[in-house]
Amino acid sequence: MTRLALSIDVEEYFHVENLRPIAPPSSWDGFPSRVEAQVDRLLDLFDAHQARATFFVLGWVAERHGALVRRIAARGHELASHGHGHVRLHELDPETFRADLRRSRAAIEDAAGEAVHGYRAPTWSITPATAWAFDVLIEEGFAWDSSVFPVRHDRYGDPSAPITPWVVRRPAGEILEIPPLVLRVGRTNLPAAGGGYLRLFPLAWVRWAIDQAIREGRRAVLYLHPWEIDPDQPRLPVGFLRGVRHYRGLAGVEAKLARLLSEHEWAAVGSLPRQSPGPARSRSCATT
């Protein structure tokens, strides 16, 4: 059984946190939508390589593109929630998060006619400061989460978190956490799970991390956004650093992804084996 999983965060180019200063939610309906064409390209690419993936769909997208959600499911892929309004959890509290979560799940399930069991927070925003989100996910019946990036980063991350799937123990119960891929160098976790790290770094960087995970018997979860295979997307007038983070490397992502698809067998996140060799890890997260 494969230990490698693909995941797609289904959102528009103007939804990303990096562009929020110039593309606030109040402006979103005024931008041209490009998500359907890019997701369809990914679906065709995955079919060509007999790959399966998990599509973490933003509720905002599901409400406007229900037919796209149905196509994803019909092509044999897993659907999961990416929240509704692409709001970092640091800007929410438990009840506003619950409302956002319920709205996104309802939109996806109504469109696809199938249950949603997994979740990924926008911008990997489950951190020690927002660990209360696990309680809400457990109370809402989610089976697993993939929101904790075990790295140090200026916007997200928990470098002390396990780099293999682990059981989160909370006052509300337990939930399985499935982290994205990292490259372990000494005692440091370096991000290598796709996204900007696939765009901005040589393909060898991600390959190194995948090979290391395979050797160590770890799961390897990669992620991507549909806009990352869309070099012709509208350019918004952002500053230099934000522009580099969002636009650099777009032209080469699809070819890099195709190489990775040809080199390994890929599955959906929710279908990964639940345990590494030996006992499953667990960790209590303090209530915050």
Side-chain angles (χ1 to χ4, degrees), residues 41-73:
R41 284 171 61 191
L42 287 169
L43 290 172
D44 289 344
L45 184 61
F46 294 165
D47 279 353
H49 293 276
Q50 298 182 318
R52 290 294 174 264
T54 298
F55 287 75
F56 291 91
V57 182
L58 203 66
W60 191 95
V61 171
E63 288 182 350
R64 290 161 176 77
H65 302 278
L68 176 63
V69 177
R70 288 188 288 276
R71 288 201 298 278
I72 294 169

Side-chain angles (χ1 to χ4, degrees), residues 118-161:
Y119 174 77
R120 175 174 290 159
T123 321
W124 308 102
S125 54
I126 294 186
T127 68
T130 57
W132 49 260
F134 287 125
D135 291 302
V136 178
L137 289 167
I138 293 164
E139 290 163 359
E140 293 298 313
F142 281 79
W144 59 271
D145 175 74
S146 182
S147 302
V148 180
F149 214 140
V151 298
R152 193 177 304 280
H153 189 275
D154 63 337
R155 290 180 178 164
Y156 54 75
D158 178 4
S160 69

Side-chain angles (χ1 to χ4, degrees), residues 103-125:
R103 184 173 178 182
S104 73
R105 192 183 207 177
I108 298 165
E109 292 182 344
D110 288 350
E114 61 180 56
V116 167
H117 303 291
Y119 174 77
R120 175 174 290 159
T123 321
W124 308 102
S125 54

Side-chain angles (χ1 to χ4, degrees), residues 22 41-42 49 57 59 63 67 78 81 129 132-133 144 182 207 246 253 269 287:
I22 201 163
R41 284 171 61 191
L42 287 169
H49 293 276
V57 182
E63 288 182 350
E78 180 180 42
S81 170
W132 49 260
W144 59 271
V182 299
R207 280 176 164 159
H246 187 80
V253 171
V269 178
T287 303

Side-chain angles (χ1 to χ4, degrees), residues 4-286:
L4 308 182
L6 282 170
S7 60
I8 307 299
D9 293 352
V10 182
E11 59 196 53
E12 297 274 11
Y13 61 96
F14 49 80
H15 285 148
V16 300
E17 183 68 23
N18 195 40
L19 302 184
R20 182 63 60 96
I22 201 163
S26 60
S27 69
W28 286 352
D29 282 317
F31 288 102
S33 173
R34 298 178 67 86
V35 69
E36 290 213 29
Q38 310 316 323
V39 170
D40 283 339
R41 284 171 61 191
L42 287 169
L43 290 172
D44 289 344
L45 184 61
F46 294 165
D47 279 353
H49 293 276
Q50 298 182 318
R52 290 294 174 264
T54 298
F55 287 75
F56 291 91
V57 182
L58 203 66
W60 191 95
V61 171
E63 288 182 350
R64 290 161 176 77
H65 302 278
L68 176 63
V69 177
R70 288 188 288 276
R71 288 201 298 278
I72 294 169
R75 302 278 279 270
H77 301 283
E78 180 180 42
L79 292 168
S81 170
H82 195 36
H84 177 75
H86 209 272
V87 181
R88 295 171 69 243
L89 301 194
H90 301 79
E91 301 174 39
L92 302 175
D93 58 31
E95 291 315 306
T96 52
F97 173 55
R98 192 186 307 275
D100 180 273
L101 187 65
R102 287 180 175 178
R103 184 173 178 182
S104 73
R105 192 183 207 177
I108 298 165
E109 292 182 344
D110 288 350
E114 61 180 56
V116 167
H117 303 291
Y119 174 77
R120 175 174 290 159
T123 321
W124 308 102
S125 54
I126 294 186
T127 68
T130 57
W132 49 260
F134 287 125
D135 291 302
V136 178
L137 289 167
I138 293 164
E139 290 163 359
E140 293 298 313
F142 281 79
W144 59 271
D145 175 74
S146 182
S147 302
V148 180
F149 214 140
V151 298
R152 193 177 304 280
H153 189 275
D154 63 337
R155 290 180 178 164
Y156 54 75
D158 178 4
S160 69
I163 64 174
T164 59
W166 50 287
V167 177
V168 181
R169 303 190 189 282
R170 291 287 300 179
E174 298 180 352
I175 188 170
L176 181 68
E177 178 63 31
I178 307 175
L181 176 67
V182 299
L183 177 67
R184 186 77 171 162
V185 178
R187 296 182 178 180
T188 303
N189 301 332
L190 300 176
Y197 310 107
L198 185 62
R199 282 189 290 113
L200 300 173
F201 295 178
L203 181 58
W205 179 258
V206 177
R207 280 176 164 159
W208 183 12
I210 291 171
D211 291 344
Q212 183 186 75
I214 291 172
R215 287 196 308 271
E216 297 176 359
R218 288 192 275 119
R219 314 297 183 263
V221 176
L222 265 63
Y223 76 97
L224 199 72
H225 304 87
W227 56 263
E228 289 181 297
I229 63 163
D230 184 14
D232 297 324
Q233 66 187 266
R235 293 307 204 260
L236 302 185
V238 294
F240 174 76
L241 180 58
R242 291 179 185 272
V244 168
R245 278 184 162 183
H246 187 80
Y247 296 117
R248 182 167 292 179
L250 291 174
V253 171
E254 191 167 359
K256 290 179 179 179
L257 178 60
R259 292 287 299 275
L260 294 175
L261 291 173
S262 69
E263 292 169 357
H264 300 284
E265 180 183 351
W266 297 91
V269 178
S271 69
L272 288 178
R274 287 297 192 258
Q275 275 184 237
S276 299
R281 298 189 65 174
S282 65
R283 184 183 188 218
S284 297
C285 290

